[in-house]
Amino acid sequence: MDRPHWAPESIDVERPSVARMYDYYLGGSHNFAADRAAAQAMITAVPDAPLMAQANRAFMRRVVQFLVESGIRQFLDIGSGIPTVGNVHEIAQRLAPESKVAYVDVDPVAVAHSREILAGNDRTTILQEDLRNPERILHDPQVRKLLDFDQPVAVLIVAVLHFVPDSDDPAGILAELRAALAPGSHLVLSQASDDGRSDEERREADQIYRRTDNPLNIRSRAALTSFFDGFDLLPPGVVWVPQWRPESPEAAEDAERAVFMGGVGRLGG
């Protein structure tokens, strides 16, 4: 196939990417035939897959608006994905133009496209790095130049933790990030939960994502809640993402169909 200009030579366009599958669920165009085939297989197995991605994205937008209204002006978005409408910097800078956003993603397409989108915006940066290397993220010169960790920072890890197995110690990763944050900082998490899903759906989703570099690691509400250790969990706690401060009661109906659970914690002190 012809390689589009935005696709780095280093990537294997025949192997599905979770970032590009997510882009497809959201109606984006930065994906390949292999990504679309895997995403369609996921939709066949779990018809709510596009709704899941859209609900999670809407959760992220509501959270960013809440954080800006709470006085946060610095954001570290780890696992930011391929940019689509309603990115963190668009929401934050529309409400507070002085807001600064450091994006981090391991996917080369996500990083390359982000650089195009962010060109000329000196209050943003993009770093290619893995969540599992928190020390590299925290000490990266680009990140340090943009963000002042002596002031509150909101760390967003949205729809990413289910790609981090327990063997990689996600709790330890989050503890390392927490240790670098000033009081008043926030942690935003969401991840897929298998609460209420059938055994068949879980098996099929697991098999599909094993074709990518990032197999699924589905967790319960209790497991996700434990990741907020050291933070004060803000109301309404860890809930299905449509239930997190919905714009209307109707928006939270059938919330479990979203599959993603999420929450926001604040660092006291």
Side-chain angles (χ1 to χ4, degrees), residues 102-146:
Y103 290 107
V104 182
D105 204 281
V106 72
D107 186 89
V109 169
V111 173
H113 191 46
S114 295
R115 286 197 177 113
E116 288 188 14
I117 294 290
L118 301 175
N121 188 331
D122 61 4
R123 297 183 304 282
T124 63
T125 192
I126 174 69
L127 169 67
Q128 184 171 349
E129 191 50 83
D130 195 309
L131 168 63
R132 288 167 285 198
N133 299 319
E135 73 288 347
R136 295 185 189 173
I137 296 171
L138 292 168
H139 295 101
D140 180 81
Q142 299 176 68
V143 174
R144 284 283 167 177
K145 181 179 179 181
L146 185 69

mmCIF file of all heavy atoms in Angstrom, residues 102-146:
data_model
loop_
_atom_site.group_PDB
_atom_site.id
_atom_site.type_symbol
_atom_site.label_atom_id
_atom_site.label_comp_id
_atom_site.label_asym_id
_atom_site.label_seq_id
_atom_site.Cartn_x
_atom_site.Cartn_y
_atom_site.Cartn_z
ATOM 1 N N ALA A 102 1.453 19.420 27.986
ATOM 2 C CA ALA A 102 2.491 18.529 27.469
ATOM 3 C C ALA A 102 1.836 17.197 27.140
ATOM 4 O O ALA A 102 1.259 16.545 28.014
ATOM 5 C CB ALA A 102 3.606 18.344 28.496
ATOM 6 N N TYR A 103 1.904 16.814 25.867
ATOM 7 C CA TYR A 103 1.358 15.537 25.419
ATOM 8 C C TYR A 103 2.467 14.493 25.381
ATOM 9 O O TYR A 103 3.617 14.806 25.029
ATOM 10 C CB TYR A 103 0.766 15.668 24.018
ATOM 11 C CG TYR A 103 -0.497 16.486 23.929
ATOM 12 C CD1 TYR A 103 -0.482 17.767 23.375
ATOM 13 C CD2 TYR A 103 -1.716 15.977 24.369
ATOM 14 C CE1 TYR A 103 -1.644 18.517 23.263
ATOM 15 C CE2 TYR A 103 -2.880 16.721 24.256
ATOM 16 C CZ TYR A 103 -2.850 17.979 23.709
ATOM 17 O OH TYR A 103 -3.991 18.717 23.601
ATOM 18 N N VAL A 104 2.105 13.255 25.692
ATOM 19 C CA VAL A 104 3.048 12.141 25.648
ATOM 20 C C VAL A 104 2.347 10.948 25.011
ATOM 21 O O VAL A 104 1.242 10.581 25.427
ATOM 22 C CB VAL A 104 3.541 11.750 27.052
ATOM 23 C CG1 VAL A 104 4.552 10.612 26.969
ATOM 24 C CG2 VAL A 104 4.128 12.942 27.792
ATOM 25 N N ASP A 105 2.982 10.349 24.012
ATOM 26 C CA ASP A 105 2.439 9.116 23.448
ATOM 27 C C ASP A 105 3.576 8.287 22.880
ATOM 28 O O ASP A 105 4.602 8.843 22.444
ATOM 29 C CB ASP A 105 1.402 9.391 22.353
ATOM 30 C CG ASP A 105 0.444 8.228 22.193
ATOM 31 O OD1 ASP A 105 0.813 7.228 21.547
ATOM 32 O OD2 ASP A 105 -0.678 8.282 22.750
ATOM 33 N N VAL A 106 3.396 6.979 22.876
ATOM 34 C CA VAL A 106 4.428 6.074 22.373
ATOM 35 C C VAL A 106 4.256 5.797 20.886
ATOM 36 O O VAL A 106 5.189 5.361 20.216
ATOM 37 C CB VAL A 106 4.417 4.762 23.183
ATOM 38 C CG1 VAL A 106 3.191 3.916 22.846
ATOM 39 C CG2 VAL A 106 5.706 3.976 22.996
ATOM 40 N N ASP A 107 3.061 6.060 20.351
ATOM 41 C CA ASP A 107 2.769 5.730 18.958
ATOM 42 C C ASP A 107 3.349 6.781 18.012
ATOM 43 O O ASP A 107 3.046 7.970 18.136
ATOM 44 C CB ASP A 107 1.252 5.645 18.746
ATOM 45 C CG ASP A 107 0.899 5.170 17.352
ATOM 46 O OD1 ASP A 107 0.785 3.958 17.160
ATOM 47 O OD2 ASP A 107 0.744 6.031 16.455
ATOM 48 N N PRO A 108 4.176 6.371 17.037
ATOM 49 C CA PRO A 108 4.813 7.350 16.141
ATOM 50 C C PRO A 108 3.827 8.171 15.322
ATOM 51 O O PRO A 108 4.075 9.350 15.064
ATOM 52 C CB PRO A 108 5.693 6.479 15.231
ATOM 53 C CG PRO A 108 5.899 5.204 15.978
ATOM 54 C CD PRO A 108 4.639 4.994 16.765
ATOM 55 N N VAL A 109 2.717 7.568 14.907
ATOM 56 C CA VAL A 109 1.721 8.317 14.133
ATOM 57 C C VAL A 109 1.078 9.386 15.009
ATOM 58 O O VAL A 109 0.886 10.530 14.577
ATOM 59 C CB VAL A 109 0.653 7.370 13.545
ATOM 60 C CG1 VAL A 109 -0.514 8.172 12.973
ATOM 61 C CG2 VAL A 109 1.264 6.491 12.471
ATOM 62 N N ALA A 110 0.752 9.025 16.240
ATOM 63 C CA ALA A 110 0.161 9.999 17.160
ATOM 64 C C ALA A 110 1.105 11.172 17.373
ATOM 65 O O ALA A 110 0.686 12.340 17.369
ATOM 66 C CB ALA A 110 -0.166 9.331 18.498
ATOM 67 N N VAL A 111 2.379 10.881 17.535
ATOM 68 C CA VAL A 111 3.361 11.940 17.782
ATOM 69 C C VAL A 111 3.555 12.805 16.541
ATOM 70 O O VAL A 111 3.577 14.040 16.618
ATOM 71 C CB VAL A 111 4.697 11.335 18.246
ATOM 72 C CG1 VAL A 111 5.778 12.406 18.345
ATOM 73 C CG2 VAL A 111 4.515 10.642 19.607
ATOM 74 N N ALA A 112 3.690 12.174 15.379
ATOM 75 C CA ALA A 112 3.915 12.925 14.140
ATOM 76 C C ALA A 112 2.740 13.847 13.835
ATOM 77 O O ALA A 112 2.932 15.020 13.473
ATOM 78 C CB ALA A 112 4.144 11.962 12.979
ATOM 79 N N HIS A 113 1.527 13.319 13.996
ATOM 80 C CA HIS A 113 0.357 14.147 13.694
ATOM 81 C C HIS A 113 0.192 15.247 14.742
ATOM 82 O O HIS A 113 -0.208 16.372 14.421
ATOM 83 C CB HIS A 113 -0.894 13.281 13.625
ATOM 84 C CG HIS A 113 -2.089 13.995 13.075
ATOM 85 N ND1 HIS A 113 -2.031 14.783 11.948
ATOM 86 C CD2 HIS A 113 -3.383 14.060 13.505
ATOM 87 C CE1 HIS A 113 -3.228 15.285 11.694
ATOM 88 N NE2 HIS A 113 -4.063 14.872 12.631
ATOM 89 N N SER A 114 0.521 14.945 15.982
ATOM 90 C CA SER A 114 0.441 15.964 17.030
ATOM 91 C C SER A 114 1.388 17.119 16.734
ATOM 92 O O SER A 114 1.042 18.288 16.947
ATOM 93 C CB SER A 114 0.779 15.352 18.393
ATOM 94 O OG SER A 114 -0.178 14.399 18.779
ATOM 95 N N ARG A 115 2.581 16.802 16.251
ATOM 96 C CA ARG A 115 3.544 17.871 15.927
ATOM 97 C C ARG A 115 2.975 18.804 14.864
ATOM 98 O O ARG A 115 3.176 20.025 14.921
ATOM 99 C CB ARG A 115 4.863 17.249 15.457
ATOM 100 C CG ARG A 115 5.670 16.628 16.589
ATOM 101 C CD ARG A 115 7.123 16.395 16.207
ATOM 102 N NE ARG A 115 7.860 15.872 17.356
ATOM 103 C CZ ARG A 115 8.370 14.655 17.439
ATOM 104 N NH1 ARG A 115 8.233 13.822 16.422
ATOM 105 N NH2 ARG A 115 9.011 14.262 18.521
ATOM 106 N N GLU A 116 2.257 18.243 13.883
ATOM 107 C CA GLU A 116 1.641 19.082 12.858
ATOM 108 C C GLU A 116 0.576 19.985 13.477
ATOM 109 O O GLU A 116 0.519 21.186 13.195
ATOM 110 C CB GLU A 116 1.017 18.197 11.774
ATOM 111 C CG GLU A 116 2.020 17.490 10.875
ATOM 112 C CD GLU A 116 1.329 16.789 9.718
ATOM 113 O OE1 GLU A 116 0.137 17.071 9.471
ATOM 114 O OE2 GLU A 116 1.970 15.949 9.070
ATOM 115 N N ILE A 117 -0.272 19.399 14.313
ATOM 116 C CA ILE A 117 -1.373 20.139 14.919
ATOM 117 C C ILE A 117 -0.863 21.252 15.837
ATOM 118 O O ILE A 117 -1.415 22.351 15.893
ATOM 119 C CB ILE A 117 -2.272 19.183 15.725
ATOM 120 C CG1 ILE A 117 -2.967 18.178 14.798
ATOM 121 C CG2 ILE A 117 -3.295 19.953 16.563
ATOM 122 C CD1 ILE A 117 -4.014 18.758 13.914
ATOM 123 N N LEU A 118 0.233 20.960 16.561
ATOM 124 C CA LEU A 118 0.710 21.877 17.598
ATOM 125 C C LEU A 118 1.724 22.906 17.096
ATOM 126 O O LEU A 118 2.148 23.766 17.868
ATOM 127 C CB LEU A 118 1.338 21.071 18.739
ATOM 128 C CG LEU A 118 0.418 20.063 19.425
ATOM 129 C CD1 LEU A 118 1.187 19.244 20.451
ATOM 130 C CD2 LEU A 118 -0.779 20.750 20.072
ATOM 131 N N ALA A 119 2.113 22.804 15.838
ATOM 132 C CA ALA A 119 3.109 23.736 15.297
ATOM 133 C C ALA A 119 2.654 25.179 15.511
ATOM 134 O O ALA A 119 1.523 25.554 15.192
ATOM 135 C CB ALA A 119 3.321 23.474 13.811
ATOM 136 N N GLY A 120 3.534 25.968 16.103
ATOM 137 C CA GLY A 120 3.238 27.374 16.337
ATOM 138 C C GLY A 120 2.563 27.664 17.662
ATOM 139 O O GLY A 120 2.376 28.833 18.011
ATOM 140 N N ASN A 121 2.206 26.621 18.414
ATOM 141 C CA ASN A 121 1.582 26.814 19.728
ATOM 142 C C ASN A 121 2.659 26.624 20.789
ATOM 143 O O ASN A 121 3.011 25.496 21.127
ATOM 144 C CB ASN A 121 0.436 25.820 19.925
ATOM 145 C CG ASN A 121 -0.377 26.089 21.193
ATOM 146 O OD1 ASN A 121 0.141 26.615 22.172
ATOM 147 N ND2 ASN A 121 -1.645 25.729 21.165
ATOM 148 N N ASP A 122 3.197 27.714 21.316
ATOM 149 C CA ASP A 122 4.327 27.615 22.240
ATOM 150 C C ASP A 122 3.916 27.264 23.663
ATOM 151 O O ASP A 122 4.757 27.188 24.554
ATOM 152 C CB ASP A 122 5.147 28.914 22.235
ATOM 153 C CG ASP A 122 4.349 30.135 22.664
ATOM 154 O OD1 ASP A 122 3.169 29.971 23.051
ATOM 155 O OD2 ASP A 122 4.902 31.248 22.615
ATOM 156 N N ARG A 123 2.632 27.018 23.885
ATOM 157 C CA ARG A 123 2.166 26.574 25.198
ATOM 158 C C ARG A 123 1.848 25.073 25.205
ATOM 159 O O ARG A 123 1.181 24.570 26.105
ATOM 160 C CB ARG A 123 0.939 27.384 25.635
ATOM 161 C CG ARG A 123 1.236 28.874 25.817
ATOM 162 C CD ARG A 123 0.028 29.624 26.326
ATOM 163 N NE ARG A 123 -1.140 29.463 25.463
ATOM 164 C CZ ARG A 123 -1.336 30.097 24.313
ATOM 165 N NH1 ARG A 123 -0.431 30.959 23.872
ATOM 166 N NH2 ARG A 123 -2.425 29.896 23.606
ATOM 167 N N THR A 124 2.356 24.364 24.182
ATOM 168 C CA THR A 124 2.179 22.918 24.102
ATOM 169 C C THR A 124 3.485 22.267 23.658
ATOM 170 O O THR A 124 4.370 22.928 23.093
ATOM 171 C CB THR A 124 1.090 22.524 23.082
ATOM 172 O OG1 THR A 124 1.507 22.941 21.768
ATOM 173 C CG2 THR A 124 -0.244 23.164 23.415
ATOM 174 N N THR A 125 3.586 20.970 23.932
ATOM 175 C CA THR A 125 4.702 20.182 23.408
ATOM 176 C C THR A 125 4.234 18.745 23.280
ATOM 177 O O THR A 125 3.212 18.354 23.867
ATOM 178 C CB THR A 125 5.942 20.280 24.321
ATOM 179 O OG1 THR A 125 7.075 19.723 23.639
ATOM 180 C CG2 THR A 125 5.738 19.526 25.635
ATOM 181 N N ILE A 126 4.970 17.940 22.520
ATOM 182 C CA ILE A 126 4.649 16.526 22.347
ATOM 183 C C ILE A 126 5.934 15.720 22.490
ATOM 184 O O ILE A 126 6.967 16.059 21.898
ATOM 185 C CB ILE A 126 3.962 16.242 20.988
ATOM 186 C CG1 ILE A 126 3.765 14.734 20.771
ATOM 187 C CG2 ILE A 126 4.715 16.871 19.841
ATOM 188 C CD1 ILE A 126 2.738 14.094 21.676
ATOM 189 N N LEU A 127 5.868 14.669 23.289
ATOM 190 C CA LEU A 127 7.014 13.807 23.560
ATOM 191 C C LEU A 127 6.651 12.377 23.194
ATOM 192 O O LEU A 127 5.571 11.897 23.553
ATOM 193 C CB LEU A 127 7.372 13.889 25.052
ATOM 194 C CG LEU A 127 8.378 12.867 25.600
ATOM 195 C CD1 LEU A 127 9.763 13.112 25.009
ATOM 196 C CD2 LEU A 127 8.414 12.930 27.127
ATOM 197 N N GLN A 128 7.538 11.688 22.476
ATOM 198 C CA GLN A 128 7.321 10.271 22.206
ATOM 199 C C GLN A 128 7.961 9.455 23.324
ATOM 200 O O GLN A 128 9.186 9.368 23.439
ATOM 201 C CB GLN A 128 7.909 9.855 20.854
ATOM 202 C CG GLN A 128 7.599 8.388 20.527
ATOM 203 C CD GLN A 128 7.980 7.994 19.110
ATOM 204 O OE1 GLN A 128 8.302 8.851 18.274
ATOM 205 N NE2 GLN A 128 7.958 6.708 18.820
ATOM 206 N N GLU A 129 7.103 8.886 24.155
ATOM 207 C CA GLU A 129 7.597 8.096 25.289
ATOM 208 C C GLU A 129 6.475 7.200 25.788
ATOM 209 O O GLU A 129 5.301 7.412 25.487
ATOM 210 C CB GLU A 129 8.098 9.033 26.405
ATOM 211 C CG GLU A 129 8.876 8.367 27.517
ATOM 212 C CD GLU A 129 9.989 7.472 27.012
ATOM 213 O OE1 GLU A 129 11.086 7.978 26.710
ATOM 214 O OE2 GLU A 129 9.725 6.244 26.904
ATOM 215 N N ASP A 130 6.854 6.204 26.563
ATOM 216 C CA ASP A 130 5.933 5.208 27.092
ATOM 217 C C ASP A 130 5.584 5.548 28.542
ATOM 218 O O ASP A 130 6.471 5.923 29.324
ATOM 219 C CB ASP A 130 6.603 3.831 27.020
ATOM 220 C CG ASP A 130 5.624 2.681 27.208
ATOM 221 O OD1 ASP A 130 4.858 2.699 28.193
ATOM 222 O OD2 ASP A 130 5.638 1.752 26.375
ATOM 223 N N LEU A 131 4.316 5.398 28.903
ATOM 224 C CA LEU A 131 3.885 5.600 30.285
ATOM 225 C C LEU A 131 4.735 4.794 31.257
ATOM 226 O O LEU A 131 4.957 5.217 32.397
ATOM 227 C CB LEU A 131 2.407 5.193 30.411
ATOM 228 C CG LEU A 131 1.825 5.048 31.822
ATOM 229 C CD1 LEU A 131 1.848 6.385 32.560
ATOM 230 C CD2 LEU A 131 0.404 4.492 31.758
ATOM 231 N N ARG A 132 5.224 3.648 30.805
ATOM 232 C CA ARG A 132 5.991 2.777 31.694
ATOM 233 C C ARG A 132 7.391 3.297 31.984
ATOM 234 O O ARG A 132 8.143 2.672 32.731
ATOM 235 C CB ARG A 132 6.047 1.367 31.104
ATOM 236 C CG ARG A 132 4.714 0.646 31.187
ATOM 237 C CD ARG A 132 4.647 -0.601 30.346
ATOM 238 N NE ARG A 132 4.498 -0.273 28.934
ATOM 239 C CZ ARG A 132 4.082 -1.144 28.019
ATOM 240 N NH1 ARG A 132 3.769 -2.366 28.372
ATOM 241 N NH2 ARG A 132 3.968 -0.776 26.754
ATOM 242 N N ASN A 133 7.718 4.454 31.435
ATOM 243 C CA ASN A 133 8.996 5.117 31.722
ATOM 244 C C ASN A 133 8.732 6.491 32.349
ATOM 245 O O ASN A 133 9.083 7.523 31.774
ATOM 246 C CB ASN A 133 9.820 5.267 30.444
ATOM 247 C CG ASN A 133 10.168 3.930 29.818
ATOM 248 O OD1 ASN A 133 10.505 2.979 30.512
ATOM 249 N ND2 ASN A 133 10.078 3.861 28.499
ATOM 250 N N PRO A 134 8.113 6.517 33.531
ATOM 251 C CA PRO A 134 7.733 7.821 34.101
ATOM 252 C C PRO A 134 8.906 8.747 34.362
ATOM 253 O O PRO A 134 8.790 9.967 34.229
ATOM 254 C CB PRO A 134 7.018 7.451 35.401
ATOM 255 C CG PRO A 134 7.516 6.082 35.739
ATOM 256 C CD PRO A 134 7.736 5.407 34.417
ATOM 257 N N GLU A 135 10.076 8.170 34.707
ATOM 258 C CA GLU A 135 11.225 9.035 34.992
ATOM 259 C C GLU A 135 11.692 9.769 33.740
ATOM 260 O O GLU A 135 12.123 10.925 33.818
ATOM 261 C CB GLU A 135 12.376 8.211 35.606
ATOM 262 C CG GLU A 135 13.110 7.291 34.654
ATOM 263 C CD GLU A 135 12.319 6.052 34.221
ATOM 264 O OE1 GLU A 135 11.272 5.759 34.834
ATOM 265 O OE2 GLU A 135 12.751 5.370 33.281
ATOM 266 N N ARG A 136 11.579 9.133 32.580
ATOM 267 C CA ARG A 136 11.959 9.795 31.326
ATOM 268 C C ARG A 136 10.981 10.918 31.000
ATOM 269 O O ARG A 136 11.381 11.968 30.488
ATOM 270 C CB ARG A 136 12.002 8.783 30.182
ATOM 271 C CG ARG A 136 13.067 7.709 30.331
ATOM 272 C CD ARG A 136 13.102 6.836 29.099
ATOM 273 N NE ARG A 136 13.944 5.665 29.279
ATOM 274 C CZ ARG A 136 14.047 4.677 28.398
ATOM 275 N NH1 ARG A 136 13.332 4.727 27.270
ATOM 276 N NH2 ARG A 136 14.836 3.649 28.638
ATOM 277 N N ILE A 137 9.714 10.689 31.268
ATOM 278 C CA ILE A 137 8.707 11.728 31.034
ATOM 279 C C ILE A 137 8.949 12.912 31.956
ATOM 280 O O ILE A 137 9.000 14.070 31.526
ATOM 281 C CB ILE A 137 7.292 11.158 31.242
ATOM 282 C CG1 ILE A 137 7.001 10.067 30.206
ATOM 283 C CG2 ILE A 137 6.237 12.272 31.181
ATOM 284 C CD1 ILE A 137 5.712 9.298 30.468
ATOM 285 N N LEU A 138 9.122 12.622 33.231
ATOM 286 C CA LEU A 138 9.243 13.687 34.225
ATOM 287 C C LEU A 138 10.503 14.519 34.064
ATOM 288 O O LEU A 138 10.529 15.697 34.418
ATOM 289 C CB LEU A 138 9.211 13.076 35.630
ATOM 290 C CG LEU A 138 7.871 12.459 36.047
ATOM 291 C CD1 LEU A 138 8.032 11.645 37.316
ATOM 292 C CD2 LEU A 138 6.815 13.554 36.238
ATOM 293 N N HIS A 139 11.561 13.914 33.531
ATOM 294 C CA HIS A 139 12.833 14.631 33.416
ATOM 295 C C HIS A 139 13.150 15.042 31.984
ATOM 296 O O HIS A 139 14.247 15.538 31.713
ATOM 297 C CB HIS A 139 13.973 13.766 33.973
ATOM 298 C CG HIS A 139 13.848 13.514 35.448
ATOM 299 N ND1 HIS A 139 13.360 12.343 35.960
ATOM 300 C CD2 HIS A 139 14.099 14.319 36.506
ATOM 301 C CE1 HIS A 139 13.347 12.417 37.290
ATOM 302 N NE2 HIS A 139 13.787 13.601 37.636
ATOM 303 N N ASP A 140 12.198 14.861 31.086
ATOM 304 C CA ASP A 140 12.442 15.272 29.698
ATOM 305 C C ASP A 140 12.577 16.794 29.621
ATOM 306 O O ASP A 140 11.762 17.527 30.206
ATOM 307 C CB ASP A 140 11.283 14.816 28.807
ATOM 308 C CG ASP A 140 11.502 15.221 27.361
ATOM 309 O OD1 ASP A 140 12.241 14.515 26.661
ATOM 310 O OD2 ASP A 140 10.956 16.272 26.961
ATOM 311 N N PRO A 141 13.569 17.296 28.909
ATOM 312 C CA PRO A 141 13.788 18.750 28.833
ATOM 313 C C PRO A 141 12.590 19.516 28.277
ATOM 314 O O PRO A 141 12.294 20.630 28.750
ATOM 315 C CB PRO A 141 15.007 18.888 27.924
ATOM 316 C CG PRO A 141 15.735 17.584 28.067
ATOM 317 C CD PRO A 141 14.665 16.551 28.253
ATOM 318 N N GLN A 142 11.896 18.941 27.279
ATOM 319 C CA GLN A 142 10.728 19.623 26.718
ATOM 320 C C GLN A 142 9.638 19.798 27.777
ATOM 321 O O GLN A 142 9.031 20.869 27.896
ATOM 322 C CB GLN A 142 10.142 18.810 25.567
ATOM 323 C CG GLN A 142 11.052 18.582 24.379
ATOM 324 C CD GLN A 142 10.352 17.683 23.364
ATOM 325 O OE1 GLN A 142 9.372 18.073 22.737
ATOM 326 N NE2 GLN A 142 10.841 16.453 23.231
ATOM 327 N N VAL A 143 9.395 18.715 28.507
ATOM 328 C CA VAL A 143 8.352 18.751 29.535
ATOM 329 C C VAL A 143 8.732 19.723 30.637
ATOM 330 O O VAL A 143 7.923 20.541 31.085
ATOM 331 C CB VAL A 143 8.101 17.338 30.084
ATOM 332 C CG1 VAL A 143 7.131 17.381 31.267
ATOM 333 C CG2 VAL A 143 7.562 16.427 28.988
ATOM 334 N N ARG A 144 9.984 19.653 31.078
ATOM 335 C CA ARG A 144 10.449 20.521 32.167
ATOM 336 C C ARG A 144 10.458 21.993 31.769
ATOM 337 O O ARG A 144 10.220 22.876 32.596
ATOM 338 C CB ARG A 144 11.850 20.090 32.604
ATOM 339 C CG ARG A 144 11.855 18.834 33.450
ATOM 340 C CD ARG A 144 11.417 19.152 34.860
ATOM 341 N NE ARG A 144 11.109 17.948 35.618
ATOM 342 C CZ ARG A 144 10.761 17.959 36.890
ATOM 343 N NH1 ARG A 144 10.650 19.108 37.537
ATOM 344 N NH2 ARG A 144 10.479 16.839 37.525
ATOM 345 N N LYS A 145 10.731 22.256 30.507
ATOM 346 C CA LYS A 145 10.739 23.642 30.043
ATOM 347 C C LYS A 145 9.327 24.229 30.043
ATOM 348 O O LYS A 145 9.126 25.414 30.338
ATOM 349 C CB LYS A 145 11.336 23.721 28.634
ATOM 350 C CG LYS A 145 11.411 25.129 28.073
ATOM 351 C CD LYS A 145 12.036 25.129 26.680
ATOM 352 C CE LYS A 145 12.089 26.536 26.096
ATOM 353 N NZ LYS A 145 12.669 26.545 24.727
ATOM 354 N N LEU A 146 8.341 23.384 29.733
ATOM 355 C CA LEU A 146 6.970 23.872 29.614
ATOM 356 C C LEU A 146 6.238 23.905 30.959
ATOM 357 O O LEU A 146 5.538 24.876 31.265
ATOM 358 C CB LEU A 146 6.182 22.992 28.635
ATOM 359 C CG LEU A 146 4.756 23.452 28.330
ATOM 360 C CD1 LEU A 146 4.772 24.741 27.509
ATOM 361 C CD2 LEU A 146 3.984 22.363 27.594
#
